[in-house]
């Protein structure tokens, strides 16, 4: 078990899913974790696990070396304004998961030469299955190891350039919603052809999991595996082609690009 002291400022959807993941795999000592929120009532249950829960961001920062800021982007300025005086370049490193806020903007807010990391995980941190894209500035090898260690405990990590952070948000973080909507549609189709909702969900869950794992394990391209499933004149190719006539791939690509254009504004 690692002895890193970690504070998560803004324990909402993502912050909480990160904490759940960290305590689930028992790699982090819960007593070394502090979480904050202005209204702490919904997260008081974390105290039972030994985690410190507070609405005092300044005290939380003083007790930890890794400061993960997980508030909405529009709350970031206020949070950094509040904690910047207690941020110590010799002690702290800051990890921002906020969408669309650059390291230049963060340095502008904190006015101190701290190591700054941008991380783009997704809510599968909850079950240690996130992909987290990372970018860092002003960090030592040890700082980088610490942050990678945290996010590798929550899934896998990938180093990217900062100018790809918004694209990472769309593909990796919003991507969870895209995949879930796709699964929802498959379940609806399954019900129409005869299964009850629960059975359809069970079949779809394992089918999607198996397809994803297959590409990961075999490091293969989807179209190669599709070729193996599509018998000439068979039902799979007929279904796939009908989906394409209805704009299946095109709608996914256009949705991803539309999300990206929105985030870039
Ligand atoms: N959700 C995702 O899948 C996802 C994925 C990747 C990145 N992100 C990024 O992660 C960040 C959080 O997203 P989210 O979906 O988790 O939002 P969220 O559910 O609204 O969580 C943010 C939390 O911050 C707290 N907060 C606001 N101001 C605060 C302050 N001054 N001090 C302490 N806590 C404060 C809020 O609670 P109180 O009002 O009670 O303080 C809220 O629970 C965003 O910047 C988003 O871009 C999210």
């Amino acid at each position: 078990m690692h002895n890193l002291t970690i504070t998560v400022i803004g324990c909402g959807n993502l912050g909480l899913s990160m904490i759940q993941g960290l305590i689930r795999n028992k790699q982090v000592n819960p007593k070394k974790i502090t979480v904050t929120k202005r209204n702490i009532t919904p997260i008081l249950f974390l105290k039972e696990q030994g985690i410190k829960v507070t609405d005092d961001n300044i005290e939380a920062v003083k007790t930890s070396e890794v400061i993960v800021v997980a508030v909405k982007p529009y709350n970031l300025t206020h949070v950094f304004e509040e904690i910047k005086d207690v941020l110590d370049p010799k002690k702290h490193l800051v990890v921002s998961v906020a969408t669309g806020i650059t390291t230049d903007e963060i340095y502008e807010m904190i006015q101190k030469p701290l190591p700054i990391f941008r991380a783009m995980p997704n809510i599968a941190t909850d079950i240690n299955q996130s992909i987290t894209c990372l970018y860092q500035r002003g960090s030592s090898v040890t700082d980088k190891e610490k942050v990678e260690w945290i996010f590798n405990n929550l899934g896998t990590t990938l180093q990217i350039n900062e100018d790809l952070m918004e694209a990472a948000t769309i593909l990796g973080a919003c991507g969870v919603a895209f995949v879930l909507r796709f699964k929802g549609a498959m379940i609806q189709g399954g019900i129409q052809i005869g299964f009850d909702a629960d059975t359809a969900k069970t079949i779809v869950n394992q089918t999607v999991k198996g397809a994803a794992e297959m590409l990961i394990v075999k490091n293969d391209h989807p179209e190669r595996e599709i070729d193996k499933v599509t018998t000439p004149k068979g039902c799979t190719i007929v279904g796939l082609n009908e989906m394409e006539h209805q704009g299946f791939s095109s709608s996914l690509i256009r949705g991803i690009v539309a999300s990206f254009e929105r985030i870039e504004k």
Side-chain angles (χ1 to χ4, degrees):
M1 193 178 274
H2 212 291
N3 253 350
L4 263 184
T5 46
I6 305 169
T7 278
V8 175
I9 296 181
C11 194
N13 287 314
L14 182 65
L16 183 59
S17 74
M18 287 178 59
I19 295 301
Q20 311 265 43
L22 283 175
I23 50 181
R24 179 170 281 115
N25 71 359
K26 298 187 169 39
Q27 292 297 309
V28 178
N29 183 350
K31 293 201 172 91
K32 303 277 180 179
I33 299 178
T34 306
V35 294
T36 82
K37 212 173 164 298
R38 291 169 301 191
N39 169 19
I40 57 173
T41 314
I43 54 168
L44 281 175
F45 70 95
L46 292 171
K47 279 187 171 182
E48 287 160 26
Q49 323 247 15
I51 291 170
K52 278 173 259 167
V53 178
T54 175
D55 59 3
D56 188 337
N57 290 336
I58 293 174
E59 277 311 306
V61 168
K62 284 182 184 167
T63 61
S64 300
E65 50 191 308
V66 178
I67 313 298
V68 179
V69 186
V71 296
K72 292 279 193 205
Y74 52 78
N75 284 322
L76 215 60
T77 312
H78 175 78
V79 166
F80 281 129
E81 186 57 41
E82 188 186 3
I83 65 171
K84 69 179 183 192
D85 288 344
V86 286
L87 283 176
D88 178 356
K90 292 199 195 79
K91 174 178 177 184
H92 294 119
L93 63 86
V94 168
V95 181
S96 165
V97 297
T99 302
I101 309 292
T102 64
T103 49
D104 274 347
E105 289 170 309
I106 296 170
Y107 277 120
E108 190 73 24
M109 293 176 207
I110 61 176
Q111 300 279 329
K112 281 184 182 173
L114 253 80
I116 304 284
F117 288 74
R118 283 184 70 185
M120 191 45 63
N122 63 41
I123 50 165
T125 46
D126 200 333
I127 54 151
N128 314 88
Q129 291 291 334
S130 172
I131 170 80
T132 302
C133 291
L134 290 170
Y135 170 77
Q136 67 275 331
R137 270 175 72 181
S139 59
S140 65
V141 174
T142 322
D143 297 330
K144 193 169 164 250
E145 279 170 2
K146 285 178 188 166
V147 175
E148 281 180 344
W149 184 86
I150 292 172
F151 287 99
N152 280 331
N153 270 296
L154 296 171
T156 58
T157 55
L158 196 63
Q159 293 286 336
I160 62 170
N161 288 334
E162 186 162 27
D163 61 2
L164 280 172
M165 267 295 166
E166 277 60 56
T169 307
I170 304 303
L171 211 55
C174 309
V176 173
F178 304 153
V179 172
L180 292 178
R181 177 58 58 82
F182 159 77
K183 287 183 68 176
M186 271 190 81
I187 292 168
Q188 295 305 312
I191 296 170
Q192 191 166 346
I193 60 173
F195 289 109
D196 64 78
D198 264 0
T199 311
K201 189 181 75 182
T202 304
I203 294 172
V204 169
N205 274 346
Q206 187 56 39
T207 302
V208 172
K209 187 179 175 199
E213 290 275 334
M214 192 166 59
L215 293 192
I216 293 169
V217 171
K218 296 169 82 173
N219 192 21
D220 206 353
H221 190 278
E223 292 303 325
R224 266 170 52 132
E225 295 300 325
I226 286 175
D227 282 347
K228 295 180 193 165
V229 189
T230 45
T231 310
K233 292 188 172 177
C235 56
T236 313
I237 192 64
V238 168
L240 271 177
N241 284 349
E242 180 58 23
M243 288 176 199
E244 291 305 332
H245 292 316
Q246 299 294 335
F248 180 59
S249 296
S250 172
S251 78
L252 278 173
I253 295 164
R254 290 179 76 152
I256 287 169
V257 174
S259 289
F260 184 68
E261 285 168 357
R262 166 47 78 96
I263 208 175
E264 287 278 281
K265 275 185 191 158

